[in-house]
Amino acid sequence: MTKKERALLAVEALKKEYPGAVCSLEYQDPLQLLIATRLSAQCTDARVNLVTPALFARFPTLEAFCAGSEEEIAELIRSCGLYKTKARDIFAMCHVLRDSYNGVIPDTVDELTKLPGVGRKTANVVLSNAFGIPGFAVDTHVFRVSNRIGLVNNTKTPLETEKQLVKNIPAEILSTAHHWLILHGRYVCLARKPKCEECGIRQWCRFFQSRR
């Protein structure tokens, strides 16, 4: 079975396991998603969703963020972890958006990753969820699950993983497949003790087949 054939069968099975899967971060516009995704680094989406209502109430617009301060942002996001670094990035990011992009969130990976604190994963989250542009954000869950199942061929980096997934999964379901893999990694395909006997896609999983 080729990787592409395995990927198609696996994502179809995941679709049945996680119907209606969407981005778990709560946001109202691309700026809020960009900031929420930055906050989610080394932090759970659930924690971010507890923090952002007060943050976005205090800073409802790009101009409001620019008129604020790193210190005030930091205080509001303190429970997210690495809050000082994240506050610095958010404050700088908002100024760059205002001064270099006329307040418009870019819609390409190349331009988004020019913003302070924005890596390729964050850029792909924003593109796929805010703009509907096919992309595949690779976080720790996606990296682990896609390698374990056999959707990719023992990749070593997130970028290598992304390239293989984009090649093997149809563009029209890329963004949703990202959510399926995340949910599968959170609840079934765990890092230390994967729940193989509960897994709805084990018949397509290279790891499960090797253990048999």
Short mmCIF file of all heavy atoms in Angstrom, two decimals, residues 128-187:
data_model
loop_
_atom_site.label_atom_id
_atom_site.label_comp_id
_atom_site.label_asym_id
_atom_site.label_seq_id
_atom_site.Cartn_x
_atom_site.Cartn_y
_atom_site.Cartn_z
N SER A 128 -5.77 28.44 6.94
CA SER A 128 -6.82 27.44 6.72
C SER A 128 -8.12 27.79 7.42
O SER A 128 -9.20 27.57 6.88
CB SER A 128 -6.33 26.06 7.15
OG SER A 128 -6.01 26.04 8.52
N ASN A 129 -8.03 28.37 8.62
CA ASN A 129 -9.24 28.62 9.39
C ASN A 129 -9.84 30.01 9.17
O ASN A 129 -11.06 30.16 9.16
CB ASN A 129 -8.96 28.41 10.88
CG ASN A 129 -8.69 26.98 11.22
OD1 ASN A 129 -9.60 26.16 11.29
ND2 ASN A 129 -7.43 26.62 11.41
N ALA A 130 -8.99 31.01 9.00
CA ALA A 130 -9.51 32.38 8.82
C ALA A 130 -9.80 32.70 7.37
O ALA A 130 -10.72 33.47 7.07
CB ALA A 130 -8.52 33.39 9.40
N PHE A 131 -9.02 32.11 6.46
CA PHE A 131 -9.13 32.48 5.05
C PHE A 131 -9.58 31.32 4.15
O PHE A 131 -9.81 31.52 2.96
CB PHE A 131 -7.80 33.02 4.54
CG PHE A 131 -7.35 34.27 5.23
CD1 PHE A 131 -6.13 34.32 5.90
CD2 PHE A 131 -8.13 35.41 5.22
CE1 PHE A 131 -5.71 35.46 6.55
CE2 PHE A 131 -7.73 36.57 5.86
CZ PHE A 131 -6.51 36.59 6.53
N GLY A 132 -9.69 30.12 4.70
CA GLY A 132 -10.12 28.99 3.88
C GLY A 132 -9.12 28.58 2.83
O GLY A 132 -9.47 27.96 1.82
N ILE A 133 -7.84 28.90 3.05
CA ILE A 133 -6.78 28.54 2.11
C ILE A 133 -6.17 27.21 2.55
O ILE A 133 -5.74 27.08 3.70
CB ILE A 133 -5.69 29.63 2.07
CG1 ILE A 133 -6.29 30.95 1.56
CG2 ILE A 133 -4.52 29.20 1.18
CD1 ILE A 133 -5.35 32.13 1.66
N PRO A 134 -6.15 26.19 1.68
CA PRO A 134 -5.64 24.87 2.09
C PRO A 134 -4.22 24.97 2.66
O PRO A 134 -3.33 25.59 2.07
CB PRO A 134 -5.65 24.07 0.79
CG PRO A 134 -6.71 24.71 -0.04
CD PRO A 134 -6.62 26.18 0.28
N GLY A 135 -4.05 24.36 3.81
CA GLY A 135 -2.75 24.34 4.45
C GLY A 135 -2.77 23.29 5.55
O GLY A 135 -3.84 22.87 5.98
N PHE A 136 -1.63 22.87 6.01
CA PHE A 136 -1.58 21.83 7.03
C PHE A 136 -0.62 22.25 8.12
O PHE A 136 0.59 22.21 7.96
CB PHE A 136 -1.15 20.49 6.42
CG PHE A 136 -1.83 19.32 7.07
CD1 PHE A 136 -2.78 18.58 6.39
CD2 PHE A 136 -1.53 18.97 8.38
CE1 PHE A 136 -3.42 17.51 6.99
CE2 PHE A 136 -2.16 17.91 8.99
CZ PHE A 136 -3.11 17.17 8.30
N ALA A 137 -1.19 22.67 9.24
CA ALA A 137 -0.37 23.05 10.39
C ALA A 137 0.08 21.79 11.12
O ALA A 137 -0.73 20.95 11.48
CB ALA A 137 -1.18 23.95 11.33
N VAL A 138 1.37 21.66 11.34
CA VAL A 138 1.92 20.46 11.99
C VAL A 138 2.34 20.81 13.42
O VAL A 138 3.32 21.51 13.64
CB VAL A 138 3.12 19.91 11.20
CG1 VAL A 138 3.73 18.70 11.92
CG2 VAL A 138 2.70 19.52 9.79
N ASP A 139 1.54 20.32 14.39
CA ASP A 139 1.91 20.45 15.78
C ASP A 139 2.42 19.11 16.28
O ASP A 139 2.65 18.19 15.49
CB ASP A 139 0.73 20.95 16.62
CG ASP A 139 -0.41 19.94 16.70
OD1 ASP A 139 -0.31 18.86 16.06
OD2 ASP A 139 -1.39 20.22 17.41
N THR A 140 2.62 18.97 17.59
CA THR A 140 3.18 17.72 18.10
C THR A 140 2.26 16.53 17.86
O THR A 140 2.73 15.42 17.58
CB THR A 140 3.47 17.84 19.61
OG1 THR A 140 2.27 18.25 20.29
CG2 THR A 140 4.57 18.86 19.87
N HIS A 141 0.94 16.75 17.96
CA HIS A 141 -0.01 15.66 17.72
C HIS A 141 0.05 15.20 16.27
O HIS A 141 0.12 14.01 15.99
CB HIS A 141 -1.43 16.11 18.06
CG HIS A 141 -1.66 16.37 19.51
ND1 HIS A 141 -1.44 15.42 20.49
CD2 HIS A 141 -2.10 17.47 20.17
CE1 HIS A 141 -1.74 15.93 21.67
NE2 HIS A 141 -2.14 17.17 21.50
N VAL A 142 -0.01 16.16 15.36
CA VAL A 142 0.00 15.83 13.93
C VAL A 142 1.30 15.13 13.56
O VAL A 142 1.30 14.13 12.83
CB VAL A 142 -0.19 17.09 13.07
CG1 VAL A 142 0.04 16.78 11.59
CG2 VAL A 142 -1.58 17.68 13.28
N PHE A 143 2.42 15.64 14.07
CA PHE A 143 3.73 15.04 13.77
C PHE A 143 3.78 13.59 14.24
O PHE A 143 4.17 12.69 13.49
CB PHE A 143 4.83 15.86 14.44
CG PHE A 143 6.22 15.37 14.14
CD1 PHE A 143 6.85 15.75 12.97
CD2 PHE A 143 6.91 14.55 15.02
CE1 PHE A 143 8.14 15.30 12.67
CE2 PHE A 143 8.18 14.10 14.74
CZ PHE A 143 8.80 14.48 13.57
N ARG A 144 3.34 13.35 15.48
CA ARG A 144 3.39 12.01 16.05
C ARG A 144 2.43 11.06 15.34
O ARG A 144 2.81 9.96 14.92
CB ARG A 144 3.04 12.08 17.54
CG ARG A 144 3.01 10.71 18.20
CD ARG A 144 2.64 10.80 19.67
NE ARG A 144 1.24 11.11 19.91
CZ ARG A 144 0.78 12.29 20.30
NH1 ARG A 144 1.61 13.30 20.50
NH2 ARG A 144 -0.51 12.49 20.50
N VAL A 145 1.18 11.47 15.20
CA VAL A 145 0.16 10.58 14.66
C VAL A 145 0.42 10.25 13.20
O VAL A 145 0.31 9.09 12.78
CB VAL A 145 -1.24 11.20 14.83
CG1 VAL A 145 -2.30 10.36 14.13
CG2 VAL A 145 -1.58 11.34 16.31
N SER A 146 0.79 11.25 12.40
CA SER A 146 0.99 10.99 10.98
C SER A 146 2.18 10.06 10.74
O SER A 146 2.15 9.23 9.83
CB SER A 146 1.17 12.31 10.21
OG SER A 146 2.26 13.05 10.73
N ASN A 147 3.22 10.18 11.58
CA ASN A 147 4.35 9.26 11.46
C ASN A 147 3.99 7.87 11.97
O ASN A 147 4.35 6.86 11.37
CB ASN A 147 5.55 9.80 12.23
CG ASN A 147 6.43 10.72 11.39
OD1 ASN A 147 7.18 10.26 10.54
ND2 ASN A 147 6.29 12.01 11.60
N ARG A 148 3.25 7.81 13.06
CA ARG A 148 2.90 6.52 13.65
C ARG A 148 1.96 5.73 12.75
O ARG A 148 2.17 4.53 12.53
CB ARG A 148 2.26 6.75 15.02
CG ARG A 148 1.96 5.46 15.78
CD ARG A 148 1.34 5.79 17.13
NE ARG A 148 2.35 6.14 18.11
CZ ARG A 148 2.08 6.73 19.27
NH1 ARG A 148 0.83 7.06 19.57
NH2 ARG A 148 3.04 7.00 20.13
N ILE A 149 0.96 6.38 12.21
CA ILE A 149 0.01 5.71 11.34
C ILE A 149 0.68 5.26 10.05
O ILE A 149 0.41 4.18 9.53
CB ILE A 149 -1.17 6.63 11.01
CG1 ILE A 149 -2.01 6.90 12.26
CG2 ILE A 149 -2.07 6.02 9.93
CD1 ILE A 149 -3.08 7.96 12.05
N GLY A 150 1.56 6.12 9.53
CA GLY A 150 2.20 5.84 8.25
C GLY A 150 1.71 6.75 7.15
O GLY A 150 1.85 6.44 5.96
N LEU A 151 1.13 7.89 7.53
CA LEU A 151 0.72 8.87 6.52
C LEU A 151 1.92 9.55 5.89
O LEU A 151 1.84 10.07 4.78
CB LEU A 151 -0.20 9.92 7.14
CG LEU A 151 -1.47 9.43 7.86
CD1 LEU A 151 -2.30 10.61 8.31
CD2 LEU A 151 -2.28 8.53 6.94
N VAL A 152 3.03 9.57 6.64
CA VAL A 152 4.29 10.10 6.13
C VAL A 152 5.37 9.06 6.40
O VAL A 152 5.17 8.13 7.19
CB VAL A 152 4.65 11.46 6.79
CG1 VAL A 152 3.62 12.51 6.44
CG2 VAL A 152 4.76 11.32 8.31
N ASN A 153 6.51 9.26 5.81
CA ASN A 153 7.56 8.25 5.87
C ASN A 153 8.68 8.65 6.81
O ASN A 153 9.71 9.17 6.40
CB ASN A 153 8.11 7.99 4.46
CG ASN A 153 9.04 6.81 4.42
OD1 ASN A 153 8.93 5.91 5.25
ND2 ASN A 153 9.97 6.81 3.48
N ASN A 154 8.44 8.46 8.13
CA ASN A 154 9.47 8.70 9.15
C ASN A 154 10.13 10.07 9.00
O ASN A 154 11.35 10.17 8.90
CB ASN A 154 10.53 7.60 9.10
CG ASN A 154 9.94 6.22 9.38
OD1 ASN A 154 9.09 6.07 10.24
ND2 ASN A 154 10.39 5.23 8.63
N THR A 155 9.33 11.10 8.99
CA THR A 155 9.86 12.45 8.83
C THR A 155 10.55 12.91 10.11
O THR A 155 10.22 12.47 11.21
CB THR A 155 8.75 13.43 8.45
OG1 THR A 155 7.72 13.39 9.45
CG2 THR A 155 8.15 13.08 7.10
N LYS A 156 11.47 13.85 9.94
CA LYS A 156 12.27 14.34 11.07
C LYS A 156 11.88 15.75 11.50
O LYS A 156 12.22 16.16 12.62
CB LYS A 156 13.76 14.31 10.71
CG LYS A 156 14.28 12.94 10.26
CD LYS A 156 14.12 11.90 11.35
CE LYS A 156 14.70 10.56 10.91
NZ LYS A 156 14.45 9.48 11.92
N THR A 157 11.22 16.49 10.64
CA THR A 157 10.88 17.88 10.95
C THR A 157 9.42 18.16 10.62
O THR A 157 8.83 17.48 9.78
CB THR A 157 11.76 18.86 10.16
OG1 THR A 157 11.43 18.74 8.76
CG2 THR A 157 13.24 18.57 10.37
N PRO A 158 8.82 19.17 11.25
CA PRO A 158 7.45 19.56 10.91
C PRO A 158 7.29 19.93 9.44
O PRO A 158 6.27 19.59 8.82
CB PRO A 158 7.19 20.75 11.83
CG PRO A 158 8.07 20.52 13.01
CD PRO A 158 9.31 19.91 12.44
N LEU A 159 8.27 20.63 8.87
CA LEU A 159 8.17 21.04 7.47
C LEU A 159 8.16 19.83 6.54
O LEU A 159 7.37 19.76 5.59
CB LEU A 159 9.31 21.97 7.10
CG LEU A 159 9.33 22.47 5.64
CD1 LEU A 159 8.02 23.17 5.29
CD2 LEU A 159 10.52 23.39 5.40
N GLU A 160 9.02 18.87 6.83
CA GLU A 160 9.06 17.64 6.02
C GLU A 160 7.73 16.89 6.13
O GLU A 160 7.20 16.38 5.13
CB GLU A 160 10.21 16.75 6.54
CG GLU A 160 10.59 15.60 5.62
CD GLU A 160 11.73 14.78 6.20
OE1 GLU A 160 12.36 15.23 7.18
OE2 GLU A 160 11.97 13.67 5.68
N THR A 161 7.18 16.88 7.34
CA THR A 161 5.87 16.24 7.56
C THR A 161 4.78 16.95 6.78
O THR A 161 3.95 16.31 6.11
CB THR A 161 5.52 16.27 9.06
OG1 THR A 161 6.57 15.66 9.81
CG2 THR A 161 4.22 15.52 9.33
N GLU A 162 4.77 18.27 6.85
CA GLU A 162 3.77 19.07 6.13
C GLU A 162 3.82 18.80 4.64
O GLU A 162 2.78 18.59 3.99
CB GLU A 162 4.00 20.55 6.39
CG GLU A 162 3.05 21.47 5.64
CD GLU A 162 3.46 22.92 5.71
OE1 GLU A 162 4.18 23.31 6.65
OE2 GLU A 162 3.06 23.69 4.81
N LYS A 163 5.01 18.76 4.08
CA LYS A 163 5.15 18.57 2.63
C LYS A 163 4.60 17.21 2.21
O LYS A 163 3.92 17.11 1.17
CB LYS A 163 6.63 18.69 2.23
CG LYS A 163 7.17 20.11 2.26
CD LYS A 163 8.63 20.15 1.84
CE LYS A 163 9.15 21.58 1.79
NZ LYS A 163 10.58 21.62 1.41
N GLN A 164 4.86 16.17 2.99
CA GLN A 164 4.35 14.85 2.61
C GLN A 164 2.83 14.77 2.78
O GLN A 164 2.14 14.17 1.96
CB GLN A 164 5.04 13.77 3.44
CG GLN A 164 6.50 13.54 3.06
CD GLN A 164 7.06 12.25 3.63
OE1 GLN A 164 6.34 11.29 3.88
NE2 GLN A 164 8.37 12.23 3.85
N LEU A 165 2.31 15.37 3.84
CA LEU A 165 0.86 15.34 4.06
C LEU A 165 0.13 16.09 2.95
O LEU A 165 -0.90 15.63 2.44
CB LEU A 165 0.52 15.94 5.42
CG LEU A 165 0.89 15.08 6.64
CD1 LEU A 165 0.74 15.89 7.92
CD2 LEU A 165 0.04 13.83 6.69
N VAL A 166 0.64 17.24 2.58
CA VAL A 166 0.03 18.03 1.50
C VAL A 166 0.04 17.26 0.19
O VAL A 166 -0.89 17.36 -0.62
CB VAL A 166 0.75 19.39 1.36
CG1 VAL A 166 0.33 20.11 0.08
CG2 VAL A 166 0.47 20.27 2.57
N LYS A 167 1.08 16.49 -0.01
CA LYS A 167 1.21 15.70 -1.23
C LYS A 167 0.23 14.53 -1.24
O LYS A 167 -0.29 14.15 -2.30
CB LYS A 167 2.64 15.18 -1.36
CG LYS A 167 2.91 14.38 -2.62
CD LYS A 167 4.37 13.94 -2.67
CE LYS A 167 4.66 13.10 -3.91
NZ LYS A 167 6.08 12.64 -3.94
N ASN A 168 -0.05 13.96 -0.07
CA ASN A 168 -0.82 12.71 0.00
C ASN A 168 -2.30 12.89 0.32
O ASN A 168 -3.08 11.95 0.15
CB ASN A 168 -0.20 11.78 1.04
CG ASN A 168 1.17 11.27 0.63
OD1 ASN A 168 1.43 11.08 -0.54
ND2 ASN A 168 2.05 11.07 1.60
N ILE A 169 -2.69 14.08 0.80
CA ILE A 169 -4.09 14.31 1.19
C ILE A 169 -4.71 15.34 0.25
O ILE A 169 -4.10 16.38 -0.01
CB ILE A 169 -4.18 14.80 2.64
CG1 ILE A 169 -3.64 13.72 3.60
CG2 ILE A 169 -5.62 15.14 3.03
CD1 ILE A 169 -3.56 14.14 5.05
N PRO A 170 -5.89 15.08 -0.28
CA PRO A 170 -6.53 16.01 -1.21
C PRO A 170 -6.68 17.42 -0.61
O PRO A 170 -7.00 17.56 0.57
CB PRO A 170 -7.91 15.38 -1.46
CG PRO A 170 -7.70 13.92 -1.19
CD PRO A 170 -6.70 13.85 -0.08
N ALA A 171 -6.45 18.43 -1.44
CA ALA A 171 -6.44 19.82 -0.97
C ALA A 171 -7.76 20.21 -0.33
O ALA A 171 -7.79 20.97 0.65
CB ALA A 171 -6.13 20.76 -2.14
N GLU A 172 -8.88 19.67 -0.83
CA GLU A 172 -10.18 20.09 -0.34
C GLU A 172 -10.47 19.64 1.09
O GLU A 172 -11.37 20.16 1.75
CB GLU A 172 -11.30 19.60 -1.26
CG GLU A 172 -11.42 18.11 -1.40
CD GLU A 172 -10.59 17.54 -2.55
OE1 GLU A 172 -9.65 18.23 -2.99
OE2 GLU A 172 -10.91 16.43 -3.00
N ILE A 173 -9.70 18.67 1.60
CA ILE A 173 -9.92 18.25 2.99
C ILE A 173 -8.69 18.46 3.87
O ILE A 173 -8.67 18.02 5.02
CB ILE A 173 -10.36 16.77 3.06
CG1 ILE A 173 -9.26 15.84 2.49
CG2 ILE A 173 -11.68 16.55 2.36
CD1 ILE A 173 -9.54 14.37 2.77
N LEU A 174 -7.69 19.15 3.36
CA LEU A 174 -6.47 19.35 4.13
C LEU A 174 -6.74 19.99 5.48
O LEU A 174 -6.29 19.51 6.53
CB LEU A 174 -5.48 20.22 3.35
CG LEU A 174 -4.49 19.53 2.43
CD1 LEU A 174 -3.66 20.57 1.70
CD2 LEU A 174 -3.61 18.58 3.21
N SER A 175 -7.47 21.10 5.47
CA SER A 175 -7.69 21.86 6.71
C SER A 175 -8.45 21.03 7.73
O SER A 175 -8.13 21.05 8.93
CB SER A 175 -8.44 23.15 6.40
OG SER A 175 -7.68 23.98 5.54
N THR A 176 -9.45 20.30 7.29
CA THR A 176 -10.24 19.50 8.23
C THR A 176 -9.46 18.29 8.70
O THR A 176 -9.55 17.89 9.87
CB THR A 176 -11.55 19.04 7.57
OG1 THR A 176 -12.16 20.15 6.92
CG2 THR A 176 -12.51 18.50 8.61
N ALA A 177 -8.67 17.70 7.81
CA ALA A 177 -7.85 16.54 8.20
C ALA A 177 -6.87 16.92 9.31
O ALA A 177 -6.56 16.10 10.19
CB ALA A 177 -7.09 16.01 6.98
N HIS A 178 -6.41 18.15 9.29
CA HIS A 178 -5.55 18.66 10.37
C HIS A 178 -6.25 18.52 11.72
O HIS A 178 -5.67 18.03 12.70
CB HIS A 178 -5.20 20.12 10.07
CG HIS A 178 -4.78 20.91 11.26
ND1 HIS A 178 -3.53 20.81 11.81
CD2 HIS A 178 -5.45 21.83 12.00
CE1 HIS A 178 -3.45 21.63 12.85
NE2 HIS A 178 -4.59 22.25 12.98
N HIS A 179 -7.52 18.91 11.79
CA HIS A 179 -8.28 18.81 13.04
C HIS A 179 -8.52 17.36 13.43
O HIS A 179 -8.49 17.01 14.61
CB HIS A 179 -9.61 19.55 12.91
CG HIS A 179 -9.47 21.01 12.62
ND1 HIS A 179 -8.67 21.83 13.38
CD2 HIS A 179 -10.02 21.80 11.66
CE1 HIS A 179 -8.73 23.07 12.90
NE2 HIS A 179 -9.53 23.07 11.86
N TRP A 180 -8.77 16.50 12.45
CA TRP A 180 -8.98 15.08 12.75
C TRP A 180 -7.74 14.47 13.41
O TRP A 180 -7.85 13.74 14.39
CB TRP A 180 -9.30 14.30 11.47
CG TRP A 180 -10.58 14.70 10.81
CD1 TRP A 180 -11.69 15.26 11.40
CD2 TRP A 180 -10.89 14.57 9.41
NE1 TRP A 180 -12.67 15.48 10.45
CE2 TRP A 180 -12.21 15.08 9.23
CE3 TRP A 180 -10.21 14.09 8.31
CZ2 TRP A 180 -12.84 15.10 7.98
CZ3 TRP A 180 -10.83 14.11 7.07
CH2 TRP A 180 -12.14 14.61 6.91
N LEU A 181 -6.57 14.78 12.86
CA LEU A 181 -5.34 14.22 13.41
C LEU A 181 -5.06 14.76 14.81
O LEU A 181 -4.58 14.02 15.68
CB LEU A 181 -4.16 14.53 12.48
CG LEU A 181 -4.10 13.72 11.19
CD1 LEU A 181 -3.03 14.26 10.26
CD2 LEU A 181 -3.86 12.24 11.49
N ILE A 182 -5.34 16.04 15.04
CA ILE A 182 -5.15 16.62 16.37
C ILE A 182 -6.04 15.92 17.39
O ILE A 182 -5.59 15.51 18.47
CB ILE A 182 -5.44 18.13 16.35
CG1 ILE A 182 -4.32 18.88 15.63
CG2 ILE A 182 -5.58 18.66 17.79
CD1 ILE A 182 -4.55 20.36 15.52
N LEU A 183 -7.31 15.78 17.07
CA LEU A 183 -8.24 15.13 18.00
C LEU A 183 -7.85 13.68 18.25
O LEU A 183 -7.92 13.19 19.39
CB LEU A 183 -9.67 15.21 17.44
CG LEU A 183 -10.29 16.61 17.41
CD1 LEU A 183 -11.63 16.58 16.70
CD2 LEU A 183 -10.44 17.18 18.82
N HIS A 184 -7.42 13.00 17.20
CA HIS A 184 -7.00 11.61 17.36
C HIS A 184 -5.78 11.52 18.27
O HIS A 184 -5.68 10.61 19.11
CB HIS A 184 -6.70 11.00 16.00
CG HIS A 184 -6.68 9.51 16.00
ND1 HIS A 184 -7.78 8.75 16.34
CD2 HIS A 184 -5.70 8.62 15.71
CE1 HIS A 184 -7.48 7.46 16.27
NE2 HIS A 184 -6.21 7.36 15.89
N GLY A 185 -4.86 12.47 18.12
CA GLY A 185 -3.68 12.48 18.97
C GLY A 185 -3.98 12.84 20.41
O GLY A 185 -3.33 12.35 21.34
N ARG A 186 -4.97 13.68 20.62
CA ARG A 186 -5.33 14.09 21.99
C ARG A 186 -6.02 12.97 22.76
O ARG A 186 -5.78 12.81 23.96
CB ARG A 186 -6.28 15.30 21.94
CG ARG A 186 -5.61 16.62 21.67
CD ARG A 186 -6.65 17.73 21.63
NE ARG A 186 -6.04 19.01 21.29
CZ ARG A 186 -6.74 20.10 20.96
NH1 ARG A 186 -8.07 20.04 20.93
NH2 ARG A 186 -6.12 21.22 20.67
N TYR A 187 -6.88 12.23 22.08
CA TYR A 187 -7.78 11.34 22.81
C TYR A 187 -7.53 9.84 22.59
O TYR A 187 -7.95 9.04 23.42
CB TYR A 187 -9.23 11.67 22.44
CG TYR A 187 -9.59 13.09 22.75
CD1 TYR A 187 -9.96 13.98 21.74
CD2 TYR A 187 -9.53 13.57 24.05
CE1 TYR A 187 -10.28 15.30 22.03
CE2 TYR A 187 -9.84 14.89 24.35
CZ TYR A 187 -10.22 15.75 23.34
OH TYR A 187 -10.51 17.07 23.63
#
